[in-house]
Amino acid sequence: MARVNLVDPGTASGEAGGLLKSIDQAFGVTPNMFRAVANSPAALKSMWGSFGALGQGRIDARLGEQIAVAIADRNACEYCLSAHTALGRKAGASAEEMAQAQAGRSADPKTQAALAFALKVVENRAAVAEADVAALRQAGFDDGAIVEILAHVALNLFTNYVNVALDVPLDFPAVKLLKAA
């Protein structure tokens, strides 16, 4: 059971109500994570706006979802792991590619570089070296894409923390964490 109220999109009003309606239209349902965050319209606006902005960015949806599952596994967030695995499949990644990404691996060198960097940022609390950034550049990422990778990391930390701290009930097909919580 969630540690906060899951706002009912059918009765929500004001800014939260409008945002939940947009989220429902985008997903066809209103995922529980957004219902939990809707307790703060400002937080919901920030989260939904970040998803929208990054969805229009240079990092494609497939890589964004691969980054998300790697980070979710490291943070023991079953909710995000499950949600982003499903979204990654919708973005064209195979089940095997998503499973590999969850483990921080990819057969594609560019994806592998992004996953390694994202996980190093998480595991070292952003204390990365010049060589880590240089590895991204060597893989074909420019400064804008490097900043977007960091934005994906930050957004996923936010969503992981929301779901773990608030014990948001899973409403996506469950994917088992590689790391024990």
Side-chain angles (χ1 to χ4, degrees), residues 8-67:
D8 180 350
T11 60
S13 60
E15 188 171 26
L19 289 166
L20 289 174
K21 185 175 183 175
S22 295
I23 292 164
D24 186 81
Q25 290 170 344
F27 285 95
V29 297
T30 308
N32 285 338
M33 176 185 70
F34 294 106
R35 295 178 60 205
V37 175
N39 284 286
S40 166
L44 183 60
K45 183 177 181 180
S46 172
M47 181 185 283
W48 188 237
S50 293
F51 278 117
L54 290 175
Q56 303 282 323
R58 297 169 55 202
I59 301 295
D60 68 25
R62 182 176 173 158
L63 179 54
E65 300 304 341
Q66 289 171 303
I67 291 168

Side-chain angles (χ1 to χ4, degrees), residues 2-161:
R3 295 181 178 133
V4 297
N5 177 48
L6 297 180
V7 175
D8 180 350
T11 60
S13 60
E15 188 171 26
L19 289 166
L20 289 174
K21 185 175 183 175
S22 295
I23 292 164
D24 186 81
Q25 290 170 344
F27 285 95
V29 297
T30 308
N32 285 338
M33 176 185 70
F34 294 106
R35 295 178 60 205
V37 175
N39 284 286
S40 166
L44 183 60
K45 183 177 181 180
S46 172
M47 181 185 283
W48 188 237
S50 293
F51 278 117
L54 290 175
Q56 303 282 323
R58 297 169 55 202
I59 301 295
D60 68 25
R62 182 176 173 158
L63 179 54
E65 300 304 341
Q66 289 171 303
I67 291 168
V69 298
I71 294 170
D73 197 76
R74 292 317 177 279
N75 287 325
C77 183
E78 184 180 9
Y79 190 98
C80 286
L81 174 61
S82 300
H84 290 288
T85 296
L87 293 169
R89 295 296 312 268
K90 283 181 113 174
S94 70
E96 178 63 22
E97 287 170 320
M98 293 309 291
Q100 288 297 308
Q102 179 185 351
R105 296 188 301 269
S106 175
D108 174 64
K110 190 169 184 177
T111 301
Q112 179 60 48
L115 293 173
F117 181 77
L119 289 174
K120 192 159 195 179
V121 168
V122 171
E123 291 165 358
N124 295 335
R125 296 182 181 191
V128 297
E130 178 61 36
D132 299 314
V133 176
L136 283 176
R137 286 193 179 101
Q138 289 173 341
F141 293 101
D142 64 13
D143 290 351
I146 292 167
V147 171
E148 278 191 30
I149 290 169
L150 287 167
H152 278 275
V153 170
L155 176 57
N156 283 284
L157 288 173
F158 177 32
T159 62
N160 289 180
Y161 289 2

